[in-house]
Amino acid sequence: MKKVLLSTFLFTLFSQVSFAQNQTTVVTIKNNADAPTINKNIYGHFAEHLGRSIYGGFFVGDTSKIPNTKGVRNDIVKALKELKIPNLRWPGGCFADTYHWKDGIGPQQERPTIVNQWWGGVTEDNSFGTHDFLNMCELLGAEPYLSGNVGSGTVQELADWVQYTNFSGKSPMSDLRKKNGRTEPWKVKFWGIGNEAWGCGGNMTAEYYANEYRKYATFMSDWENTGGITRIASGSNSADYNWTEVLMKNIPINMLGGVGVHHYAVIDWAKKGDGVNFTEDGYFHTMQSALKMEELVTKHSAIMDKYDPEKKVAMIVDEWGAWYEVEKGTNPGFLYQQNTMRDAVLAGATLNIFNNHADRVRMANLAQCVNVLQAVILTDKAKMITTPTYHVMKMYSVHQDAKLLPIDFQSPLYTFNGESLPAVSASASKDKSGLVHISLVNVDAKNKNKIEIDVKDLGVKGFTGTIITSAKLQDYNSFDAPNKIVPTVFKGFENKKGKLEITIPPFSVVVLEGK
Protein backbone atom coordinates (compact mmCIF):
# COMPACT_ATOMS: atom_id res chain seq x y z
CA MET A 1 0.00 0.00 0.00
CA LYS A 2 2.83 2.41 0.88
CA LYS A 3 4.47 1.74 -2.49
CA VAL A 4 1.20 2.55 -4.29
CA LEU A 5 0.77 5.81 -2.35
CA LEU A 6 4.39 6.80 -3.00
CA SER A 7 4.05 6.04 -6.72
CA THR A 8 0.82 8.05 -6.90
CA PHE A 9 2.44 10.98 -5.09
CA LEU A 10 5.50 10.98 -7.36
CA PHE A 11 3.34 10.74 -10.48
CA THR A 12 1.18 13.66 -9.31
CA LEU A 13 4.22 15.75 -8.39
CA PHE A 14 5.91 15.02 -11.73
CA SER A 15 2.70 15.89 -13.58
CA GLN A 16 2.39 19.21 -11.70
CA VAL A 17 6.02 20.12 -12.39
CA SER A 18 5.67 19.16 -16.06
CA PHE A 19 2.50 21.23 -16.34
CA ALA A 20 4.15 24.20 -14.63
CA GLN A 21 7.07 24.04 -17.04
CA ASN A 22 4.88 23.68 -20.13
CA GLN A 23 2.09 26.15 -19.37
CA THR A 24 1.95 29.21 -21.58
CA THR A 25 1.86 32.75 -20.22
CA VAL A 26 -0.53 34.85 -22.30
CA VAL A 27 0.58 38.49 -22.51
CA THR A 28 -1.83 41.14 -23.72
CA ILE A 29 -0.35 44.37 -25.12
CA LYS A 30 -2.62 47.41 -25.27
CA ASN A 31 -2.10 50.13 -27.87
CA ASN A 32 -3.31 52.90 -25.55
CA ALA A 33 -3.19 56.45 -26.91
CA ASP A 34 -3.22 57.85 -23.37
CA ALA A 35 -0.22 55.83 -22.18
CA PRO A 36 2.80 57.82 -20.95
CA THR A 37 6.15 58.15 -22.65
CA ILE A 38 9.02 56.21 -21.08
CA ASN A 39 11.38 59.00 -20.07
CA LYS A 40 14.89 58.31 -21.34
CA ASN A 41 16.23 59.43 -17.95
CA ILE A 42 15.02 56.15 -16.42
CA TYR A 43 18.22 54.77 -17.98
CA GLY A 44 20.52 57.07 -16.01
CA HIS A 45 23.73 56.28 -14.16
CA PHE A 46 25.64 57.31 -11.05
CA ALA A 47 29.29 58.25 -10.49
CA GLU A 48 30.36 58.84 -6.89
CA HIS A 49 33.79 59.67 -5.53
CA LEU A 50 34.04 56.14 -4.23
CA GLY A 51 36.72 53.52 -4.78
CA ARG A 52 37.83 53.43 -8.42
CA SER A 53 34.73 55.05 -9.87
CA ILE A 54 36.34 58.40 -10.70
CA TYR A 55 40.08 57.95 -10.21
CA GLY A 56 41.24 54.88 -12.09
CA GLY A 57 37.81 54.66 -13.64
CA PHE A 58 36.47 57.63 -15.59
CA PHE A 59 39.48 59.83 -14.91
CA VAL A 60 43.12 58.93 -15.50
CA GLY A 61 44.53 62.45 -15.92
CA ASP A 62 45.75 64.11 -19.10
CA THR A 63 49.31 62.78 -18.68
CA SER A 64 48.18 59.13 -18.74
CA LYS A 65 49.27 56.80 -21.55
CA ILE A 66 45.69 55.53 -21.64
CA PRO A 67 43.98 57.43 -24.49
CA ASN A 68 41.96 60.24 -22.96
CA THR A 69 40.34 63.60 -23.55
CA LYS A 70 41.34 66.06 -20.84
CA GLY A 71 41.95 63.13 -18.50
CA VAL A 72 38.71 61.23 -19.22
CA ARG A 73 39.16 57.76 -20.75
CA ASN A 74 38.15 57.65 -24.40
CA ASP A 75 37.10 53.99 -24.24
CA ILE A 76 34.64 54.69 -21.44
CA VAL A 77 33.20 57.68 -23.30
CA LYS A 78 32.75 55.54 -26.41
CA ALA A 79 31.08 52.70 -24.48
CA LEU A 80 28.68 55.01 -22.65
CA LYS A 81 27.74 56.86 -25.82
CA GLU A 82 26.88 53.52 -27.39
CA LEU A 83 24.75 52.86 -24.33
CA LYS A 84 22.92 56.17 -25.01
CA ILE A 85 23.54 57.27 -21.45
CA PRO A 86 20.93 60.01 -20.82
CA ASN A 87 22.15 61.42 -17.50
CA LEU A 88 24.87 60.99 -14.90
CA ARG A 89 24.59 61.74 -11.17
CA TRP A 90 27.62 63.17 -9.31
CA PRO A 91 29.52 63.58 -6.90
CA GLY A 92 27.53 61.27 -4.59
CA GLY A 93 26.03 59.52 -2.72
CA CYS A 94 27.29 59.99 0.80
CA PHE A 95 30.31 61.83 -0.57
CA ALA A 96 28.06 64.68 -1.78
CA ASP A 97 27.32 65.88 1.73
CA THR A 98 31.00 66.32 2.52
CA TYR A 99 31.85 67.85 -0.87
CA HIS A 100 32.51 71.58 -1.21
CA TRP A 101 32.42 72.39 -4.89
CA LYS A 102 34.81 75.34 -4.73
CA ASP A 103 37.56 72.90 -3.67
CA GLY A 104 37.33 71.37 -7.17
CA ILE A 105 37.73 74.44 -9.40
CA GLY A 106 40.71 76.49 -10.53
CA PRO A 107 44.26 75.25 -11.17
CA GLN A 108 44.57 71.62 -10.06
CA GLN A 109 47.80 72.15 -8.20
CA GLU A 110 46.11 74.77 -6.01
CA ARG A 111 43.10 72.69 -5.02
CA PRO A 112 42.90 71.61 -1.37
CA THR A 113 42.74 67.96 -0.32
CA ILE A 114 40.28 66.26 2.00
CA VAL A 115 39.88 62.77 3.43
CA ASN A 116 37.04 60.71 1.97
CA GLN A 117 35.58 59.72 5.33
CA TRP A 118 32.86 57.57 3.80
CA TRP A 119 34.79 55.36 1.41
CA GLY A 120 38.10 53.90 2.50
CA GLY A 121 39.57 56.94 4.25
CA VAL A 122 41.57 57.83 1.13
CA THR A 123 42.86 61.30 0.33
CA GLU A 124 40.71 63.17 -2.20
CA ASP A 125 42.84 65.69 -4.08
CA ASN A 126 39.91 67.29 -5.95
CA SER A 127 41.68 66.95 -9.29
CA PHE A 128 38.33 65.94 -10.78
CA GLY A 129 35.85 68.75 -10.14
CA THR A 130 32.94 70.69 -11.58
CA HIS A 131 34.54 71.61 -14.93
CA ASP A 132 35.88 68.09 -15.41
CA PHE A 133 32.53 66.47 -14.71
CA LEU A 134 30.37 68.85 -16.72
CA ASN A 135 32.74 68.81 -19.68
CA MET A 136 32.70 65.01 -19.51
CA CYS A 137 28.90 65.07 -19.64
CA GLU A 138 29.15 67.13 -22.81
CA LEU A 139 31.46 64.49 -24.29
CA LEU A 140 28.93 61.82 -23.33
CA GLY A 141 25.92 63.75 -24.57
CA ALA A 142 24.40 63.19 -21.10
CA GLU A 143 22.51 65.54 -18.79
CA PRO A 144 24.43 66.18 -15.57
CA TYR A 145 22.61 65.58 -12.29
CA LEU A 146 24.41 67.39 -9.46
CA SER A 147 23.91 66.36 -5.83
CA GLY A 148 24.22 69.37 -3.55
CA ASN A 149 25.75 69.42 -0.09
CA VAL A 150 23.08 69.91 2.58
CA GLY A 151 24.70 67.83 5.33
CA SER A 152 27.82 69.97 5.85
CA GLY A 153 27.22 72.77 3.36
CA THR A 154 25.24 76.01 3.36
CA VAL A 155 22.38 77.52 1.41
CA GLN A 156 24.74 80.13 -0.02
CA GLU A 157 27.19 77.48 -1.20
CA LEU A 158 24.54 75.60 -3.18
CA ALA A 159 22.97 78.77 -4.57
CA ASP A 160 26.43 79.88 -5.73
CA TRP A 161 26.96 76.54 -7.47
CA VAL A 162 23.75 77.01 -9.46
CA GLN A 163 24.87 80.48 -10.48
CA TYR A 164 28.38 79.27 -11.34
CA THR A 165 27.14 76.55 -13.67
CA ASN A 166 24.06 78.22 -15.15
CA PHE A 167 24.24 82.03 -15.29
CA SER A 168 25.47 83.69 -18.50
CA GLY A 169 25.26 87.32 -17.34
CA LYS A 170 27.65 89.20 -15.10
CA SER A 171 27.80 88.02 -11.50
CA PRO A 172 30.46 87.02 -8.98
CA MET A 173 30.04 83.31 -9.77
CA SER A 174 29.81 83.63 -13.57
CA ASP A 175 32.89 85.85 -13.50
CA LEU A 176 34.70 83.17 -11.48
CA ARG A 177 33.63 80.52 -13.99
CA LYS A 178 34.99 82.59 -16.87
CA LYS A 179 38.22 83.18 -14.97
CA ASN A 180 38.52 79.37 -14.71
CA GLY A 181 38.25 78.96 -18.47
CA ARG A 182 34.56 78.41 -19.21
CA THR A 183 32.75 81.28 -20.92
CA GLU A 184 29.34 79.77 -21.62
CA PRO A 185 27.32 78.20 -18.78
CA TRP A 186 26.54 74.47 -18.84
CA LYS A 187 22.86 75.02 -17.95
CA VAL A 188 22.57 72.15 -15.48
CA LYS A 189 18.93 71.13 -15.14
CA PHE A 190 18.87 68.42 -12.44
CA TRP A 191 19.81 69.29 -8.85
CA GLY A 192 19.60 67.03 -5.83
CA ILE A 193 19.12 68.86 -2.53
CA GLY A 194 21.16 66.59 -0.28
CA ASN A 195 21.47 62.80 -0.36
CA GLU A 196 20.07 60.21 2.04
CA ALA A 197 19.20 62.90 4.56
CA TRP A 198 17.79 60.15 6.78
CA GLY A 199 21.28 58.58 7.02
CA CYS A 200 24.74 59.69 5.90
CA GLY A 201 23.30 63.03 4.74
CA GLY A 202 22.62 64.14 8.31
CA ASN A 203 20.47 61.57 10.15
CA MET A 204 17.55 63.99 9.90
CA THR A 205 13.90 63.37 10.58
CA ALA A 206 11.56 63.72 7.62
CA GLU A 207 9.99 66.85 9.13
CA TYR A 208 13.35 68.53 9.70
CA TYR A 209 14.58 67.68 6.19
CA ALA A 210 11.37 68.99 4.60
CA ASN A 211 12.02 72.37 6.20
CA GLU A 212 15.68 72.31 5.14
CA TYR A 213 14.63 71.43 1.59
CA ARG A 214 12.21 74.38 1.46
CA LYS A 215 14.97 76.71 2.61
CA TYR A 216 17.56 75.48 0.12
CA ALA A 217 15.07 75.34 -2.76
CA THR A 218 13.99 78.93 -2.13
CA PHE A 219 17.45 80.27 -2.89
CA MET A 220 18.20 77.98 -5.85
CA SER A 221 16.83 80.09 -8.69
CA ASP A 222 17.49 80.02 -12.40
CA TRP A 223 15.33 82.54 -14.21
CA GLU A 224 17.48 82.57 -17.32
CA ASN A 225 17.15 79.03 -18.67
CA THR A 226 13.99 77.69 -20.27
CA GLY A 227 12.03 75.64 -17.79
CA GLY A 228 14.38 76.56 -14.96
CA ILE A 229 15.93 73.80 -12.88
CA THR A 230 14.50 70.54 -11.53
CA ARG A 231 14.99 70.41 -7.76
CA ILE A 232 15.01 66.86 -6.39
CA ALA A 233 14.36 65.99 -2.76
CA SER A 234 16.41 63.39 -0.93
CA GLY A 235 13.91 60.56 -0.81
CA SER A 236 13.10 57.52 1.26
CA ASN A 237 15.16 54.54 2.22
CA SER A 238 13.33 51.69 0.50
CA ALA A 239 9.96 51.16 2.26
CA ASP A 240 10.01 54.27 4.46
CA TYR A 241 6.60 55.46 3.23
CA ASN A 242 6.31 58.00 6.04
CA TRP A 243 9.29 59.87 4.58
CA THR A 244 7.51 60.30 1.24
CA GLU A 245 4.25 61.24 3.01
CA VAL A 246 5.93 63.99 5.04
CA LEU A 247 7.76 65.45 2.05
CA MET A 248 4.70 65.48 -0.20
CA LYS A 249 2.57 66.98 2.58
CA ASN A 250 5.00 69.66 3.74
CA ILE A 251 6.74 70.83 0.56
CA PRO A 252 4.72 72.91 -1.93
CA ILE A 253 4.36 71.14 -5.29
CA ASN A 254 5.74 74.17 -7.15
CA MET A 255 9.02 73.78 -5.22
CA LEU A 256 9.33 70.06 -5.89
CA GLY A 257 10.58 68.68 -9.19
CA GLY A 258 11.19 65.16 -7.97
CA VAL A 259 11.26 62.94 -4.90
CA GLY A 260 13.93 60.28 -4.61
CA VAL A 261 13.71 56.62 -3.64
CA HIS A 262 16.73 54.41 -2.88
CA HIS A 263 16.54 50.63 -2.92
CA TYR A 264 19.30 48.05 -3.18
CA ALA A 265 18.82 44.34 -3.81
CA VAL A 266 20.51 42.90 -0.72
CA ILE A 267 20.02 39.48 0.84
CA ASP A 268 21.11 40.66 4.30
CA TRP A 269 22.98 43.85 5.15
CA ALA A 270 25.02 41.94 7.73
CA LYS A 271 25.98 39.20 5.25
CA LYS A 272 25.43 40.30 1.68
CA GLY A 273 26.75 37.20 -0.05
CA ASP A 274 29.36 36.71 -2.74
CA GLY A 275 29.03 38.39 -6.13
CA VAL A 276 30.14 35.31 -8.08
CA ASN A 277 30.25 32.21 -5.87
CA PHE A 278 26.57 32.07 -4.96
CA THR A 279 24.03 29.26 -4.82
CA GLU A 280 20.47 29.22 -6.12
CA ASP A 281 19.44 30.30 -2.62
CA GLY A 282 21.58 33.42 -3.02
CA TYR A 283 20.15 34.06 -6.45
CA PHE A 284 16.53 33.60 -5.36
CA HIS A 285 16.76 35.92 -2.37
CA THR A 286 18.65 38.59 -4.30
CA MET A 287 15.87 38.55 -6.91
CA GLN A 288 13.27 38.57 -4.15
CA SER A 289 14.80 41.81 -2.84
CA ALA A 290 15.11 43.28 -6.35
CA LEU A 291 11.50 42.53 -7.32
CA LYS A 292 10.31 44.34 -4.21
CA MET A 293 10.84 47.42 -6.39
CA GLU A 294 7.34 46.82 -7.85
CA GLU A 295 5.75 47.16 -4.42
CA LEU A 296 7.91 50.15 -3.50
CA VAL A 297 7.13 52.10 -6.66
CA THR A 298 3.41 51.29 -6.39
CA LYS A 299 3.09 52.35 -2.74
CA HIS A 300 5.25 55.47 -3.00
CA SER A 301 3.27 56.45 -6.12
CA ALA A 302 -0.02 56.07 -4.23
CA ILE A 303 1.23 58.48 -1.56
CA MET A 304 2.41 60.98 -4.17
CA ASP A 305 -0.95 60.72 -5.95
CA LYS A 306 -2.74 61.91 -2.79
CA TYR A 307 -0.92 65.24 -2.88
CA ASP A 308 -0.12 65.45 -6.59
CA PRO A 309 -2.94 63.82 -8.59
CA GLU A 310 -1.72 65.50 -11.79
CA LYS A 311 1.64 63.76 -11.40
CA LYS A 312 3.68 66.92 -11.75
CA VAL A 313 6.35 65.61 -9.36
CA ALA A 314 8.58 62.85 -10.69
CA MET A 315 9.66 59.81 -8.74
CA ILE A 316 13.46 59.64 -9.03
CA VAL A 317 14.91 56.23 -8.16
CA ASP A 318 18.39 57.68 -8.07
CA GLU A 319 20.10 54.68 -6.46
CA TRP A 320 19.24 51.09 -7.34
CA GLY A 321 21.06 47.84 -8.05
CA ALA A 322 22.57 44.77 -6.40
CA TRP A 323 24.93 45.02 -3.43
CA TYR A 324 27.21 42.09 -2.51
CA GLU A 325 30.36 41.61 -0.48
CA VAL A 326 33.40 43.13 -2.21
CA GLU A 327 35.59 40.94 -4.38
CA LYS A 328 38.16 39.10 -2.27
CA GLY A 329 41.43 40.97 -1.93
CA THR A 330 39.96 44.40 -2.67
CA ASN A 331 39.51 47.37 -0.34
CA PRO A 332 36.23 46.92 1.61
CA GLY A 333 35.56 50.66 1.26
CA PHE A 334 35.78 50.57 -2.54
CA LEU A 335 32.68 48.39 -3.11
CA TYR A 336 34.14 46.58 -6.13
CA GLN A 337 32.09 43.56 -7.18
CA GLN A 338 31.81 41.35 -10.24
CA ASN A 339 28.74 41.27 -12.47
CA THR A 340 27.14 37.95 -13.47
CA MET A 341 24.06 36.71 -15.30
CA ARG A 342 22.22 37.26 -12.01
CA ASP A 343 22.83 40.98 -12.45
CA ALA A 344 21.64 40.91 -16.05
CA VAL A 345 18.34 39.32 -14.98
CA LEU A 346 18.03 41.78 -12.08
CA ALA A 347 18.62 44.78 -14.37
CA GLY A 348 16.12 43.63 -16.98
CA ALA A 349 13.37 42.96 -14.44
CA THR A 350 13.96 46.28 -12.64
CA LEU A 351 13.91 48.31 -15.85
CA ASN A 352 10.64 46.61 -16.83
CA ILE A 353 9.16 47.83 -13.54
CA PHE A 354 10.30 51.39 -14.22
CA ASN A 355 8.97 51.29 -17.79
CA ASN A 356 5.56 50.09 -16.63
CA HIS A 357 5.37 52.92 -14.08
CA ALA A 358 6.50 55.62 -16.51
CA ASP A 359 3.60 57.85 -15.50
CA ARG A 360 5.44 58.57 -12.24
CA VAL A 361 8.98 57.18 -12.51
CA ARG A 362 10.79 59.64 -14.76
CA MET A 363 14.41 59.19 -13.74
CA ALA A 364 16.51 56.39 -12.24
CA ASN A 365 20.23 55.95 -11.66
CA LEU A 366 21.92 52.56 -11.56
CA ALA A 367 24.51 52.38 -8.78
CA GLN A 368 27.12 52.70 -10.09
CA CYS A 369 28.58 53.29 -13.52
CA VAL A 370 32.24 52.23 -13.29
CA ASN A 371 34.02 49.83 -10.87
CA VAL A 372 31.48 50.20 -8.04
CA LEU A 373 28.55 47.92 -7.10
CA GLN A 374 26.44 46.88 -10.13
CA ALA A 375 28.72 48.59 -12.63
CA VAL A 376 28.25 48.54 -16.39
CA ILE A 377 32.00 49.04 -16.93
CA LEU A 378 35.02 47.56 -15.12
CA THR A 379 38.63 48.67 -15.60
CA ASP A 380 42.04 47.25 -14.74
CA LYS A 381 44.69 49.81 -15.61
CA ALA A 382 44.52 50.11 -19.42
CA LYS A 383 42.01 47.28 -19.78
CA MET A 384 38.27 47.91 -19.90
CA ILE A 385 35.34 45.50 -20.13
CA THR A 386 31.58 45.85 -20.30
CA THR A 387 29.41 43.73 -18.00
CA PRO A 388 26.20 41.74 -18.55
CA THR A 389 24.32 44.66 -17.01
CA TYR A 390 25.81 46.95 -19.67
CA HIS A 391 24.48 44.70 -22.41
CA VAL A 392 20.99 44.60 -20.91
CA MET A 393 20.86 48.39 -20.65
CA LYS A 394 22.08 48.70 -24.23
CA MET A 395 19.39 46.25 -25.41
CA TYR A 396 16.76 48.21 -23.44
CA SER A 397 17.89 51.62 -24.72
CA VAL A 398 15.27 51.21 -27.49
CA HIS A 399 12.63 52.11 -24.88
CA GLN A 400 14.10 55.57 -24.26
CA ASP A 401 11.48 58.25 -25.04
CA ALA A 402 9.20 55.64 -26.64
CA LYS A 403 5.48 55.45 -25.86
CA LEU A 404 4.62 52.81 -23.30
CA LEU A 405 2.45 49.94 -24.51
CA PRO A 406 0.68 48.80 -21.34
CA ILE A 407 0.74 45.04 -20.81
CA ASP A 408 -1.38 42.60 -18.86
CA PHE A 409 -0.53 39.02 -17.88
CA GLN A 410 -0.49 36.55 -15.03
CA SER A 411 3.07 35.43 -14.44
CA PRO A 412 3.88 31.80 -13.68
CA LEU A 413 5.82 31.24 -10.47
CA TYR A 414 9.46 30.51 -9.85
CA THR A 415 9.45 28.42 -6.68
CA PHE A 416 12.42 27.63 -4.49
CA ASN A 417 12.33 25.95 -1.07
CA GLY A 418 8.65 26.73 -0.60
CA GLU A 419 8.91 30.41 -1.58
CA SER A 420 7.77 31.85 -4.91
CA LEU A 421 8.47 34.80 -7.18
CA PRO A 422 6.94 35.91 -10.49
CA ALA A 423 8.98 34.07 -13.13
CA VAL A 424 8.23 36.36 -16.07
CA SER A 425 8.83 40.11 -16.30
CA ALA A 426 7.88 42.20 -19.33
CA SER A 427 7.39 45.70 -20.75
CA ALA A 428 6.73 47.08 -24.22
CA SER A 429 6.89 50.36 -26.11
CA LYS A 430 6.44 51.93 -29.54
CA ASP A 431 8.95 54.54 -30.70
CA LYS A 432 8.41 57.58 -32.91
CA SER A 433 9.40 55.67 -36.04
CA GLY A 434 6.76 53.03 -35.36
CA LEU A 435 9.09 50.28 -34.12
CA VAL A 436 7.62 48.09 -31.38
CA HIS A 437 9.90 46.68 -28.69
CA ILE A 438 9.01 43.99 -26.19
CA SER A 439 11.45 43.19 -23.36
CA LEU A 440 11.06 39.87 -21.57
CA VAL A 441 12.90 38.37 -18.61
CA ASN A 442 12.75 34.80 -17.34
CA VAL A 443 13.70 34.98 -13.67
CA ASP A 444 13.44 31.21 -13.18
CA ALA A 445 16.85 29.69 -12.54
CA LYS A 446 15.98 26.22 -13.87
CA ASN A 447 12.96 26.23 -16.18
CA LYS A 448 12.24 27.75 -19.56
CA ASN A 449 8.99 29.68 -19.96
CA LYS A 450 6.56 29.78 -22.84
CA ILE A 451 4.93 33.10 -23.66
CA GLU A 452 2.20 33.97 -26.14
CA ILE A 453 1.58 37.55 -27.29
CA ASP A 454 -1.20 38.72 -29.64
CA VAL A 455 0.48 41.30 -31.88
CA LYS A 456 -2.19 41.65 -34.59
CA ASP A 457 -3.16 45.19 -33.52
CA LEU A 458 0.38 46.55 -33.20
CA GLY A 459 0.76 47.39 -36.88
CA VAL A 460 3.97 45.43 -37.44
CA LYS A 461 4.74 42.74 -40.02
CA GLY A 462 7.60 40.82 -38.48
CA PHE A 463 9.91 40.51 -35.50
CA THR A 464 13.59 40.02 -34.79
CA GLY A 465 15.08 39.19 -31.43
CA THR A 466 18.15 39.61 -29.22
CA ILE A 467 18.98 37.57 -26.13
CA ILE A 468 21.53 37.65 -23.35
CA THR A 469 22.04 34.38 -21.51
CA SER A 470 24.80 31.97 -20.55
CA ALA A 471 25.45 28.41 -19.41
CA LYS A 472 25.53 29.29 -15.70
CA LEU A 473 24.04 31.99 -13.51
CA GLN A 474 27.51 32.59 -12.09
CA ASP A 475 29.10 33.35 -15.49
CA TYR A 476 30.62 36.80 -15.97
CA ASN A 477 32.89 38.78 -18.27
CA SER A 478 36.49 38.90 -17.07
CA PHE A 479 39.56 40.73 -18.33
CA ASP A 480 40.77 37.39 -19.70
CA ALA A 481 37.40 36.56 -21.30
CA PRO A 482 35.68 39.90 -21.88
CA ASN A 483 33.07 38.55 -24.29
CA LYS A 484 31.88 35.47 -22.44
CA ILE A 485 28.43 37.06 -22.11
CA VAL A 486 27.27 39.21 -25.03
CA PRO A 487 23.92 39.65 -26.77
CA THR A 488 23.20 37.21 -29.59
CA VAL A 489 20.42 36.69 -32.09
CA PHE A 490 17.30 35.18 -30.54
CA LYS A 491 15.30 32.76 -32.67
CA GLY A 492 13.18 31.08 -30.02
CA PHE A 493 9.86 32.41 -31.30
CA GLU A 494 7.33 32.00 -34.08
CA ASN A 495 4.74 34.42 -35.43
CA LYS A 496 1.62 32.35 -36.09
CA LYS A 497 -1.18 34.43 -37.62
CA GLY A 498 -0.49 37.47 -35.46
CA LYS A 499 0.40 35.54 -32.33
CA LEU A 500 3.98 35.40 -31.12
CA GLU A 501 4.84 32.09 -29.49
CA ILE A 502 8.04 32.50 -27.52
CA THR A 503 10.16 30.09 -25.50
CA ILE A 504 12.59 31.94 -23.25
CA PRO A 505 15.42 29.98 -21.55
CA PRO A 506 16.08 30.10 -17.80
CA PHE A 507 17.73 33.25 -16.39
CA SER A 508 17.75 35.14 -19.66
CA VAL A 509 16.74 38.53 -21.05
CA VAL A 510 15.16 38.98 -24.48
CA VAL A 511 14.24 42.06 -26.52
CA LEU A 512 12.01 41.64 -29.57
CA GLU A 513 11.72 44.31 -32.26
CA GLY A 514 8.72 44.52 -34.53
CA LYS A 515 8.49 46.62 -37.68
Side-chain angles (χ1 to χ4, degrees):
M1 183 65 178
K2 288 182 179 179
K3 288 184 179 180
V4 173
L5 289 174
L6 179 60
S7 298
T8 303
F9 171 75
L10 290 174
F11 175 78
T12 303
L13 180 63
F14 177 77
S15 298
Q16 289 175 343
V17 171
S18 296
F19 175 76
Q21 290 183 23
N22 289 297
Q23 66 180 321
T24 297
T25 301
V26 178
V27 176
T28 302
I29 298 180
K30 304 168 186 175
N31 207 343
N32 186 348
D34 297 325
T37 295
I38 298 171
N39 196 309
K40 67 179 181 181
N41 286 312
I42 284 172
Y43 292 82
H45 292 266
F46 177 26
E48 184 169 2
H49 283 245
L50 193 175
R52 294 189 299 111
S53 169
I54 302 298
Y55 306 112
F58 282 102
F59 190 71
V60 292
D62 57 11
T63 61
S64 173
K65 293 181 180 178
I66 298 172
N68 67 85
T69 301
K70 295 184 177 178
V72 175
R73 289 181 67 134
N74 293 342
D75 52 0
I76 288 182
V77 170
K78 181 176 183 293
L80 292 179
K81 288 181 75 171
E82 291 175 357
L83 200 61
K84 298 181 181 177
I85 178 174
N87 70 76
L88 186 60
R89 180 174 180 245
W90 176 85
C94 292
F95 182 79
D97 282 294
T98 54
Y99 182 68
H100 300 281
W101 68 270
K102 288 183 181 178
D103 290 348
I105 60 174
Q108 286 190 2
Q109 65 274 17
E110 297 177 12
R111 298 178 189 179
T113 60
I114 62 169
V115 173
N116 189 334
Q117 67 185 65
W118 297 110
W119 306 117
V122 297
T123 298
E124 164 66 57
D125 67 2
N126 285 300
S127 57
F128 187 89
T130 296
H131 288 249
D132 308 281
F133 174 71
L134 296 180
N135 290 342
M136 182 177 77
C137 286
E138 288 185 334
L139 283 175
L140 293 170
E143 289 275 4
Y145 170 12
L146 294 179
S147 293
N149 182 347
V150 171
S152 66
T154 65
V155 171
Q156 184 68 57
E157 182 179 16
L158 189 48
D160 282 349
W161 205 10
V162 175
Q163 190 180 99
Y164 186 89
T165 60
N166 286 18
F167 190 59
S168 64
K170 183 172 178 56
S171 75
M173 292 300 103
S174 59
D175 286 349
L176 180 58
R177 181 190 69 240
K178 292 170 186 175
K179 178 183 176 183
N180 288 327
R182 175 77 183 199
T183 301
E184 295 300 319
W186 293 278
K187 298 184 179 180
V188 177
K189 180 179 181 181
F190 299 112
W191 292 85
I193 300 182
N195 167 77
E196 295 190 355
W198 41 264
C200 62
N203 282 305
M204 304 177 195
T205 63
E207 290 78 7
Y208 182 86
Y209 173 71
N211 286 335
E212 286 292 283
Y213 177 95
R214 291 169 63 129
K215 181 171 65 173
Y216 274 78
T218 298
F219 293 93
M220 293 173 65
S221 59
D222 185 0
W223 301 105
E224 188 177 63
N225 298 311
T226 303
I229 60 177
T230 298
R231 293 167 293 191
I232 300 167
S234 171
S236 73
N237 178 19
S238 198
D240 185 353
Y241 301 114
N242 177 66
W243 188 276
T244 299
E245 182 93 36
V246 170
L247 265 55
M248 293 302 298
K249 180 180 180 180
N250 294 342
I251 300 173
I253 296 300
N254 64 358
M255 297 180 74
L256 199 54
V259 173
V261 173
H262 287 185
H263 176 65
Y264 287 96
V266 179
I267 299 173
D268 183 338
W269 283 105
K271 192 175 182 181
K272 304 181 190 74
D274 195 276
V276 173
N277 298 313
F278 57 89
T279 62
E280 187 177 354
D281 182 86
Y283 170 72
F284 182 91
H285 287 101
T286 299
M287 290 307 303
Q288 185 178 58
S289 179
L291 293 177
K292 187 176 175 64
M293 187 68 80
E294 175 68 39
E295 176 186 323
L296 296 173
V297 169
T298 300
K299 290 185 176 181
H300 283 296
S301 292
I303 294 167
M304 295 176 76
D305 287 347
K306 283 170 51 179
Y307 301 95
D308 175 32
E310 297 180 4
K311 300 183 187 293
K312 294 180 179 179
V313 181
M315 184 184 298
I316 312 289
V317 189
D318 48 13
E319 290 188 28
W320 69 271
W323 195 321
Y324 314 119
E325 301 294 348
V326 301
E327 283 293 294
K328 292 179 178 61
T330 65
N331 188 321
F334 283 10
L335 305 188
Y336 179 82
Q337 63 189 42
Q338 251 300 346
N339 198 288
T340 67
M341 273 304 305
R342 171 172 61 174
D343 299 291
V345 172
L346 188 154
T350 303
L351 292 169
N352 283 338
I353 293 169
F354 295 156
N355 288 347
N356 291 327
H357 288 276
D359 60 333
R360 182 64 83 177
V361 179
R362 298 200 281 276
M363 183 187 286
N365 301 82
L366 175 67
Q368 294 187 14
C369 195
V370 181
N371 289 334
V372 174
L373 298 178
Q374 193 174 343
V376 294
I377 290 172
L378 301 177
T379 66
D380 180 11
K381 300 182 176 63
K383 296 179 181 179
M384 187 206 82
I385 58 172
T386 51
T387 68
T389 299
Y390 174 94
H391 294 302
V392 169
M393 296 198 81
K394 188 174 181 181
M395 288 164 60
Y396 273 51
S397 66
V398 293
H399 291 301
Q400 291 187 20
D401 285 341
K403 192 174 188 63
L404 178 71
L405 294 174
I407 60 173
D408 184 48
F409 68 99
Q410 186 68 41
S411 174
L413 296 178
Y414 162 38
T415 300
F416 176 78
N417 280 357
E419 296 182 277
S420 296
L421 296 174
V424 173
S425 166
S427 66
S429 68
K430 190 171 187 177
D431 68 19
K432 293 175 182 177
S433 67
L435 293 177
V436 169
H437 294 100
I438 305 168
S439 50
L440 301 165
V441 179
N442 185 4
V443 175
D444 199 308
K446 298 183 292 289
N447 303 314
K448 63 186 178 183
N449 267 288
K450 295 181 179 180
I451 301 166
E452 179 183 285
I453 307 175
D454 191 331
V455 295
K456 287 193 296 290
D457 297 332
L458 296 181
V460 298
K461 295 180 180 179
F463 282 85
T464 57
T466 305
I467 185 170
I468 184 164
T469 190
S470 195
K472 295 192 303 180
L473 266 167
Q474 295 82 1
D475 285 345
Y476 60 92
N477 292 337
S478 68
F479 293 100
D480 294 326
N483 297 312
K484 186 178 184 67
I485 301 173
V486 294
T488 56
V489 174
F490 177 63
K491 296 182 179 179
F493 66 95
E494 290 184 273
N495 192 348
K496 294 183 177 180
K497 297 181 180 180
K499 285 190 176 180
L500 278 180
E501 295 181 358
I502 307 155
T503 301
I504 181 169
F507 60 90
S508 59
V509 181
V510 167
V511 173
L512 298 173
E513 179 175 278
K515 57 183 177 181

